[in-house]
Amino acid sequence: DNYSNTIMYTDNCSAPTWDVLVDAEEKDVAGITYHAATGSIESGKGVNNANRMGLIVSAASVVFAHGCQFKNSGNGNRTTTGSTLTAFGCDLSGARYLSEPQAACMDVSRGSTFNCASNTAQNPSNLSGGQFGINCRRSFVSASRANLSGASENGIRVGYGGKVEADGSDCSNSGSHSINASSGEVWARGSKLDNSGFRGVLC
């Protein structure tokens, strides 16, 4: 269960500001869970190398996490059930999908919003090297200029009416399709889609 054994679990509260960077050393722990909570994570802080999910934002939580780090999470990171995560310049790279079939550097579902867009080429968000960079279902993602390269399946996968804005993003070197938008909407003007294993875009 990716929601158990967390380093910090918050429930129906205003959570304390997270201001430490933890190396979980690939132990069987999750990083931080926000459940019906509000909170913030300081720049450069977070939980790396957790063998469950690194960051979970759920149950209508609202979290600001600019520049946060949740790298190499065993089952990725998630924003779900009407939650909002704003994380400009974040590093969520290297999701390892140990047991979670929908594992992504950021999995966004059930009417949620994830914003990691950059207005310039400087300090882009890093969601590279996972099974999926972004996996979006029934939700909205703003990820312009993000690094979504090197996914083992798709840099972006969107379905069930989800919408992803990813102008100027790097979705290159995906193992399957750079963008899989078979049942959703993706805006990716000026994005890199080269060297994918199959198609640049499936829609």
Side-chain angles (χ1 to χ4, degrees):
D1 185 340
N2 284 303
Y3 290 81
S4 63
N5 203 25
T6 58
I7 293 174
M8 182 174 80
Y9 185 92
T10 66
D11 186 8
N12 195 27
C13 68
S14 179
T17 298
W18 185 266
D19 193 17
V20 63
L21 180 61
V22 174
D23 182 352
E25 299 178 339
E26 298 190 3
K27 291 180 168 53
D28 186 29
V29 296
I32 302 173
T33 294
Y34 295 92
H35 184 270
T38 60
S40 63
I41 299 169
E42 291 293 317
S43 181
K45 311 305 182 182
V47 179
N48 294 329
N49 301 308
N51 261 0
R52 299 192 186 189
M53 284 191 173
L55 175 62
I56 300 170
V57 182
S58 66
S61 293
V62 177
V63 176
F64 296 89
H66 307 322
C68 68
Q69 290 191 29
F70 290 88
K71 298 186 291 186
N72 304 317
S73 299
N75 282 324
N77 305 286
R78 175 171 290 164
T79 303
T80 188
T81 51
S83 297
T84 299
L85 172 62
T86 306
F88 307 127
C90 60
D91 191 344
L92 309 176
S93 60
R96 291 175 284 132
Y97 57 98
L98 295 179
S99 61
E100 169 58 51
Q102 300 280 9
C105 293
M106 181 51 71
D107 181 86
V108 189
S109 64
R110 300 181 181 179
S112 297
T113 300
F114 171 55
N115 185 1
C116 69
S118 174
N119 291 326
T120 70
Q122 297 179 344
N123 196 32
S125 293
N126 186 2
L127 297 94
S128 65
Q131 180 182 15
F132 305 100
I134 291 171
N135 188 25
C136 176
R137 305 178 307 287
R138 299 185 182 92
S139 298
F140 173 74
V141 173
S142 179
S144 294
R145 298 177 181 83
N147 180 4
L148 303 162
S149 65
S152 62
E153 292 196 33
N154 312 128
I156 297 171
R157 184 171 73 169
V158 57
Y160 300 100
K163 181 175 180 180
V164 175
E165 293 182 352
D167 293 342
S169 292
D170 184 353
C171 298
S172 61
N173 299 300
S174 295
S176 182
H177 314 298
S178 293
I179 295 174
N180 183 344
S182 56
S183 58
E185 182 178 351
V186 176
W187 292 38
R189 294 164 291 195
S191 293
K192 292 177 63 177
L193 309 176
D194 54 316
N195 297 323
S196 59
F198 291 95
R199 298 176 178 87
V201 179
L202 175 67
C203 59

